[in-house]
Amino acid sequence: MTPDRKGETVLEVRDLHTHFFLRRGVVKAVDGVSFSLRRGEVLGLVGESGCGKSLTALSLMRLLPKGGAQTIKGEVLLDGENILERTPAEMRQIRGRRISMVLQDPQTSLNPVFTIGDQLREAIVRRKRAPHAEIMKEAVAALRRVEIAAPEQRIGQYPHQMSGGMKQRVVGAIAISGEPGVLIADEPTTALDVTIQLQYLKLLKRLQAETGMAILFITHDFGVVGRMCDRVAVMYAGRIVECGPVRQIFEAPQHPYTRALIASVPKMTGPVGRLTTIEGQPPSLMDLPVGCRFASRCAHVEQRCLDAYPGTVRVGEEHTADCWKVMPA
Amino acid sequence: MALAERPPSTDAAAPRFSLWRLLWPMGSKARVRRTARVPWIPIAIISVIVLMALFAPLLAPYSPIDQTLRDKLLPPAWMTGGSDKYFLGTDAFGRDILSRLIYGARVSLMVAVLALTVGGGVGLAVGIIAGYVGGAVDSVLMRLVDAAFTFPAILFALLLSVTMGQGLGTLVIAITLLLWASFARVIRGEVLALRQRDFVALARVRGCSAPRIMLTHILPNVLNTFMVLVTLNIGVVIIAEATLSFLGAGIPPPTPTWGLMISEGRGRIADAWWVALIPGIAITLMVLSVNLFGDWLRDRLDPRLRQL
Amino acid sequence: MSEEVPLLRVEGVRKHFALTKGILFTRTLGHIKAVDDVSFDIRAGETLGLVGESGCGKTTTSRMILNLEEPTEGRILLEGEPIHALRGEALSAYRAKVQAVFQDPWSSLNPRMKVGRTIAESLIVNAWGNRARIDERVRELLVQVGLRPEQAQQYPHEFSGGQRQRVALAAALASQPRLIVLDEPVSALDVSIRAQMMNLLKDIQEKDNVAYLLVAHDLATVRHMADHTVVMYLGKIVERAPTAALFEDVRHPYTKALFSAVLVAWPGQAAAEIELKGEVPSPLDPPSGCRFHTRCPNVMPHCSQREPELREVSSGHFVACHLFE
């Protein structure tokens, strides 16, 4: 990595809309998401279930689930090139090499009937032609890179012979074998135990330092955000409601949703009392309000919140929030 | 989040088996799932055959048994030599093939209903008990199932008809023996998976007895699978009845059954092909229709059974 | 711990699962020591947190307390009475006193049963009252857990994960139990829903004086809920203390590592980080001596030879480690 390239934007998402078209209506699961990701940084994408964070990731990979999901608007600029306009064949070339993904469940991410070596080889062969011995050597190197002990033995093993943490490392090795510029990690540690989670996060950080890749880290856990991310984007009902550097989001959250969410997390220090909760339910994605989507659950709601959606307001350096209350008068 | 985001796979299905809700997915609220098109043509064919069986005395133009020997072996009405009196022609005894076909549907469906109720019911009970109780009970029951699969059912049916005499009862017993084991095996697999679900452990914690758990917690959750198995096996039963009747181990003549009709017509296949072919077509249409309907029902209710 | 008879006492409980091969002529390949000599008390109206990573035996322990598994050795007593000897009437009475809420809201409710019927189940099997009285109680319970009474007529698929967990709690509360085993009750829920559920559990405890056994991997949840905390590793208790004391002064090296692995939300707030090397060894063939010695940053030569005893290091604070002898 050349130092001057650090900080350069590698992925820019502009006004992304991915909707599910069902017989009973349109589910606006991703509805106007914009963010950018820079080389060598980790951007956290946080939100509760159903907020659209995973579908955002799948839209970037152009791997939408079957059943009526479609990206209808927006741009996904990977190194300045809009990959939404690429053909499926070109997209297959892009996936794995320039943008790659790790999913939550290591159990289902690996094929149980092939050895670890076979699955790694498949990823390597896609990229280059070389004699078998050389490819196997590269597969061993890939395992060593994700700190799997005795990779020469592990390469001949099947997924069921490995623990969850080890499997997730293999998944990681496959994902980064093509040296992608962008790695999307969708809750990669949720299925792991805490001590194993820490190992995995540290590994990701080390790999990032080596390769300079940008990571989009999707999670619901603020602890993971604090440990991993440089910046964080908070999603609610299909939109990013606040985005900024981790420290600022934690210390001075501007959007009432972010504030409530952080307050509701049980802490390891401080007084033990009743936890703050957010009452009510998120709005139905089929029938979104015209105004602010959080208005119905917000403690500071006003008439203008119900009348129109607040624009994205810059509240600090690199810190934005979608809220009327932060708008300069 | 790990579990909360999991799509409610099996639970999204209707809380209770309801044919109406299946056929009119638009009518029930919030239940749209992408699925194969409703098989209207098979449903129409099945409906016609069921109606034929129910109202046979009203629909059939002639008695299915009475012989009119001077009209014997008349071809269907649209062929040269055919008579307007007998739309599908007559057989060697001058009996109207259409009337026999209509009455024959009665016997075929009666056998299907009885055999599936008895055989399916036994299989359901064995599957639930073996799967839930487990241990030695499971081992013994499953060895019985294995034994039943190795059993030459047709041979046994022939034997049974010799010792017990031909008739509906014999036929139903024979087909039951053929069916129950496959039901038991599939249902047991389903129960093994269900037993791992937390609600079963919680039912024990609440103090439910084993029979109660099997009846109120396990049974309702395997009914979908059971219904799918029943539909997929209607075809098997109809063919089994036809085969046994053809071999002379089924319903005794002159009662018309489709299998018997083929059997009676096979000697004259060269000069009077319609006698054997028309019931053959009826069997093909019926079995094909119930299988297509069953396939659709399986996709709809229980996608996990695809490998069947 | 105290002089009075505790609500629940777990006494030297072991659970070994035999790993066998073959059907007719079974051969035992080995024993998985899922739980190995575990003892603790739960007092009426208090919450005991049981913490550890997967495979530490916390779930097996809770299943033995629920009488879903028989211990290989040792006893569990409810109000002084050994529970695994109970049969018939006495067992039913026990079932009514000890209830459970499990982790997975998608698996906890029978999808083909109306939730009202699920909640009423323990009342029906215990012939608690006539239909009208049971219906009335179900409505009461639904309100108590923050749902609407008419929701009794709905099926589980009409509920969200958080609501299902409330239904499961209502079903557990129906028979007015003395103890509820909460096996990861909030870990499958969203952050904001999690807080609601935890507050609800605390409110109910305050009102009904029910005791909880909270099985969890999340230390912050345990800190907010539990009065006492037990930390397990590979089937053994490594540390046991009043929660406040434990969080103030962590002693056992494993507990320390566990605490440091908890990702504190505030960046830069984490204490000295201890990254454990490797993974938890197999319970089929646990390490000799102290089971943690293969991964322990403070390992001493005799750790692999002698098993450490659980000893009191300060009032009510027990640690099983050779460092404190």
Side-chain angles (χ1 to χ4, degrees):
Chain A
M1 175 177 60
T2 45
D4 56 307
R5 287 195 59 202
K6 180 161 180 149
E8 172 188 316
T9 301
V10 284
L11 179 75
E12 185 161 7
V13 177
R14 287 189 195 150
D15 202 26
L16 185 73
H17 288 69
T18 299
H19 296 175
F20 280 97
F21 292 88
L22 303 177
R23 268 187 277 177
R24 62 194 156 119
V26 180
V27 177
K28 295 175 178 166
V30 177
D31 196 38
V33 164
S34 305
F35 62 86
S36 63
L37 188 59
R38 283 167 294 205
R39 217 181 140 70
E41 85 167 344
V42 183
L43 173 67
L45 192 56
V46 202
E48 298 184 85
S49 33
C51 73
K53 55 190 195 295
S54 288
L55 197 66
T56 302
L58 294 173
S59 305
L60 302 186
M61 294 295 288
R62 290 193 45 202
L63 292 170
L64 293 177
K66 288 203 172 75
Q70 223 179 325
T71 300
I72 50 162
K73 202 174 146 196
E75 292 178 339
V76 177
L77 303 170
L78 184 64
D79 298 317
E81 163 196 21
N82 187 358
I83 58 171
L84 293 182
E85 289 166 355
R86 296 278 82 87
T87 63
E90 287 171 323
M91 209 45 223
R92 278 195 291 276
Q93 296 300 309
I94 291 170
R95 272 185 228 122
R97 287 186 210 186
R98 293 170 57 193
I99 183 164
S100 198
M101 194 166 182
V102 181
L103 298 174
Q104 178 182 335
D105 189 358
Q107 219 66 34
T108 52
S109 295
L110 294 172
N111 188 332
V113 301
F114 291 107
T115 62
I116 301 304
D118 286 337
Q119 300 186 52
L120 266 166
R121 202 177 60 206
E122 192 189 12
I124 297 165
V125 166
R126 249 169 50 91
R127 198 154 38 80
K128 68 174 186 194
R129 298 177 149 276
H132 182 80
E134 197 175 311
I135 285 183
M136 283 329 258
K137 219 192 231 164
E138 198 167 319
V140 169
L143 285 184
R144 191 166 287 132
R145 211 165 147 210
V146 293
E147 293 163 12
I148 283 179
E152 291 84 359
Q153 278 99 63
R154 288 289 177 191
I155 210 138
Q157 290 191 336
Y158 289 91
H160 71 91
Q161 293 167 291
M162 303 181 122
S163 69
M166 243 190 289
K167 271 185 270 195
Q168 197 63 308
R169 279 161 192 261
V170 173
V171 173
I174 292 171
I176 63 162
S177 71
E179 306 276 332
V182 176
L183 178 70
I184 301 172
D186 189 354
E187 307 241 14
T189 59
T190 306
L192 305 180
D193 270 320
V194 278
T195 58
I196 309 297
Q197 165 169 287
L198 182 66
Q199 289 175 355
Y200 194 80
L201 295 180
K202 287 190 146 189
L203 172 74
L204 267 186
K205 275 277 192 194
R206 265 183 293 235
L207 290 172
Q208 183 186 35
E210 278 168 39
T211 62
M213 64 185 169
I215 299 179
L216 179 65
F217 201 101
I218 297 170
T219 181
H220 65 271
D221 186 341
F222 276 103
V224 175
V225 171
R227 185 70 182 69
M228 269 309 276
C229 302
D230 303 304
R231 287 190 305 136
V232 55
V234 181
M235 255 186 112
Y236 184 77
R239 281 203 185 165
I240 290 176
V241 294
E242 183 161 7
C243 182
V246 167
R247 219 165 232 290
Q248 283 189 38
I249 297 276
F250 278 123
E251 278 163 16
Q254 296 296 313
H255 198 284
Y257 175 65
T258 317
R259 234 179 290 154
L261 205 56
I262 289 175
S264 68
V265 178
K267 311 287 186 306
M268 287 294 281
T269 52
V272 179
R274 280 186 76 79
L275 294 162
T276 322
T277 61
I278 309 174
E279 295 309 321
Q281 301 268 325
S284 159
L285 294 172
M286 269 166 61
D287 185 22
L288 288 164
V290 279
C292 172
R293 292 170 184 190
F294 189 60
S296 62
R297 305 170 76 187
C298 184
H300 315 284
V301 64
E302 292 174 9
Q303 189 54 44
R304 56 178 174 170
C305 302
L306 301 170
D307 292 342
Y309 190 84
T312 301
V313 185
R314 176 171 277 270
V315 292
E317 204 185 328
E318 299 201 315
H319 189 171
T320 59
D322 289 18
C323 180
W324 285 110
K325 302 287 263 185
V326 299
M327 199 106 28
Chain B
M1 206 154 293
L3 296 151
E5 250 177 39
R6 186 199 301 164
S9 50
T10 50
D11 306 353
R16 215 178 291 143
F17 176 77
S18 152
L19 198 64
W20 184 246
R21 216 188 282 238
L22 284 171
L23 298 180
W24 299 103
M26 303 293 276
S28 68
K29 60 179 167 122
R31 275 198 72 252
V32 178
R33 211 199 294 170
R34 282 171 65 87
T35 177
R37 201 167 295 163
V38 179
W40 287 116
I41 294 174
I43 287 174
I45 292 174
I46 295 168
S47 310
V48 166
I49 292 173
V50 169
L51 287 176
M52 261 166 52
L54 285 177
F55 301 107
L58 300 176
L59 294 172
Y62 300 98
S63 152
I65 306 165
D66 290 353
Q67 305 181 355
T68 318
L69 283 172
R70 83 190 123 80
D71 289 340
K72 72 174 186 183
L73 294 175
L74 288 177
W78 61 85
M79 286 182 46
T80 44
S83 158
D84 288 346
K85 277 165 71 187
Y86 307 105
F87 181 66
L88 292 178
T90 58
D91 67 5
F93 300 102
R95 295 176 296 200
D96 179 32
I97 290 181
L98 179 62
S99 302
R100 284 180 69 76
L101 204 62
I102 291 172
Y103 274 94
R106 257 190 166 184
V107 177
S108 293
L109 288 188
M110 175 91 81
V111 171
V113 168
L114 285 175
L116 285 168
T117 314
V118 180
V122 169
L124 181 67
V126 169
I128 289 180
I129 292 170
Y132 183 74
V133 179
V137 175
D138 182 34
S139 299
V140 170
L141 287 175
M142 282 303 111
R143 293 302 81 74
L144 276 178
V145 166
D146 292 340
F149 273 114
T150 64
F151 213 70
I154 299 268
L155 197 71
F156 183 76
L158 290 172
L159 225 105
L160 215 59
S161 72
V162 173
T163 51
M164 282 176 60
Q166 282 173 277
L168 194 66
T170 315
L171 203 55
V172 169
I173 292 175
I175 297 174
T176 296
L177 284 171
L178 185 81
L179 274 184
W180 73 276
S182 66
F183 271 74
R185 196 172 262 184
V186 175
I187 297 287
R188 171 182 172 266
E190 196 85 337
V191 174
L192 285 181
L194 272 174
R195 199 173 63 161
Q196 301 301 318
R197 307 262 314 250
D198 287 343
F199 67 81
V200 176
L202 284 168
R204 282 177 67 196
V205 168
R206 281 183 214 123
C208 295
S209 61
R212 188 181 188 97
I213 292 174
M214 285 190 261
L215 276 176
T216 62
H217 289 283
I218 304 282
L219 179 65
N221 281 293
V222 293
L223 272 190
N224 270 356
T225 306
F226 180 70
M227 286 313 297
V228 171
L229 284 176
V230 165
T231 22
L232 289 178
N233 276 293
I234 293 175
V236 175
V237 174
I238 289 172
I239 288 179
E241 181 271 323
T243 310
L244 291 175
S245 296
F246 178 88
L247 293 174
I251 309 287
T255 311
T257 86
W258 294 353
L260 206 59
M261 287 167 76
I262 298 178
S263 162
E264 286 166 355
R266 81 179 196 280
R268 295 180 172 274
I269 199 90
D271 50 326
W273 51 264
W274 57 89
V275 180
L277 195 66
I278 286 170
I281 291 171
I283 290 177
T284 309
L285 274 180
M286 178 69 185
V287 172
L288 196 61
S289 298
V290 293
N291 281 345
L292 287 172
F293 179 73
D295 278 348
W296 170 79
L297 194 69
R298 177 195 58 198
D299 289 357
R300 192 70 214 207
L301 290 182
D302 208 337
R304 274 169 304 168
L305 283 174
R306 284 263 155 80
Q307 69 272 20
L308 276 182
Chain C
M1 280 183 223
S2 63
E3 297 308 309
E4 86 225 73
V5 178
L7 176 68
L8 186 94
R9 165 160 279 176
V10 177
E11 247 178 34
V13 162
R14 289 173 206 269
K15 179 73 192 179
H16 296 180
F17 293 103
L19 206 65
T20 56
K21 203 178 175 178
I23 303 164
L24 219 50
F25 304 101
T26 30
R27 209 146 46 86
T28 305
L29 300 176
H31 289 276
I32 295 176
K33 297 178 177 168
V35 176
D36 210 10
D37 195 13
V38 162
S39 305
F40 56 81
D41 290 350
I42 303 176
R43 271 170 291 186
E46 77 161 21
T47 302
L48 181 92
L50 197 55
V51 188
E53 296 181 276
S54 42
C56 74
K58 56 188 198 292
T59 295
T60 309
T61 306
S62 72
R63 286 180 66 90
M64 285 190 285
I65 290 171
L66 288 170
N67 211 336
L68 293 172
E69 305 269 5
E70 296 262 341
T72 314
E73 231 177 84
R75 301 193 299 170
I76 297 173
L77 306 111
L78 184 81
E79 291 164 337
E81 196 140 3
I83 64 166
H84 287 97
L86 300 176
R87 295 286 176 271
E89 289 280 298
L91 182 61
S92 301
Y94 175 77
R95 294 278 187 219
K97 281 185 204 159
V98 180
Q99 285 292 308
V101 175
F102 289 159
Q103 172 177 14
D104 183 355
W106 301 109
S107 155
S108 292
L109 302 176
N110 182 345
R112 316 238 162 234
M113 197 182 260
K114 286 180 182 166
V115 301
R117 175 75 175 63
T118 298
I119 296 170
E121 190 160 54
S122 65
L123 303 175
I124 294 169
V125 296
N126 285 316
W128 178 77
N130 60 20
R131 210 189 147 147
R133 248 186 96 198
I134 288 179
D135 283 352
E136 182 52 41
R137 174 91 180 119
V138 168
R139 280 196 289 275
E140 234 174 74
L141 286 160
L142 279 167
V143 173
Q144 197 182 356
V145 298
L147 296 170
R148 284 174 287 115
E150 64 272 19
Q151 286 178 301
Q153 296 306 313
Q154 295 180 337
Y155 285 94
H157 73 265
E158 296 168 69
F159 291 84
S160 68
Q163 288 175 319
R164 282 166 171 240
Q165 215 56 338
R166 284 167 189 262
V167 171
L169 179 61
L173 289 169
S175 59
Q176 293 177 305
R178 305 292 317 278
L179 171 71
I180 301 181
V181 172
L182 304 168
D183 191 348
E184 303 273 8
V186 298
S187 62
L189 305 178
D190 265 324
V191 180
S192 65
I193 310 296
R194 206 179 272 194
Q196 290 174 9
M197 185 77 185
M198 284 166 67
N199 285 344
L200 176 66
L201 286 166
K202 284 202 133 182
D203 292 346
I204 284 169
Q205 183 167 51
E206 224 161 84
K207 206 173 128 279
D208 294 359
N209 197 38
V210 57
Y212 293 142
L213 172 69
L214 175 69
V215 178
H217 71 275
D218 181 36
L219 288 167
T221 305
V222 171
R223 175 171 179 264
H224 276 256
M225 297 280 301
D227 303 301
H228 287 269
T229 301
V230 169
V231 183
M232 286 181 75
Y233 183 78
L234 263 180
K236 291 227 169 244
I237 292 180
V238 295
E239 192 159 2
R240 184 178 84 195
T243 306
L246 180 73
F247 276 74
E248 209 135 277
D249 184 17
V250 180
R251 294 297 187 90
H252 196 284
Y254 173 67
T255 322
K256 277 187 182 161
L258 203 58
F259 270 69
S260 87
V262 172
L263 303 158
V264 196
W266 264 236
Q269 201 194 26
E273 209 164 71
I274 308 163
E275 187 187 339
L276 290 182
K277 295 289 168 207
E279 315 221 351
V280 182
S282 158
L284 184 59
D285 185 22
S288 61
C290 172
R291 293 190 178 182
F292 186 58
H293 83 259
T294 53
R295 301 169 79 201
C296 183
N298 307 95
V299 64
M300 296 176 288
H302 58 280
C303 288
S304 59
Q305 333 245 289
R306 247 178 335 110
E307 215 170 300
E309 299 271 319
L310 205 55
R311 59 182 66 231
E312 194 163 12
V313 291
S314 61
S315 170
H317 194 150
F318 293 81
V319 183
C321 179
H322 291 306
L323 286 173
F324 302 97
E325 277 169 8

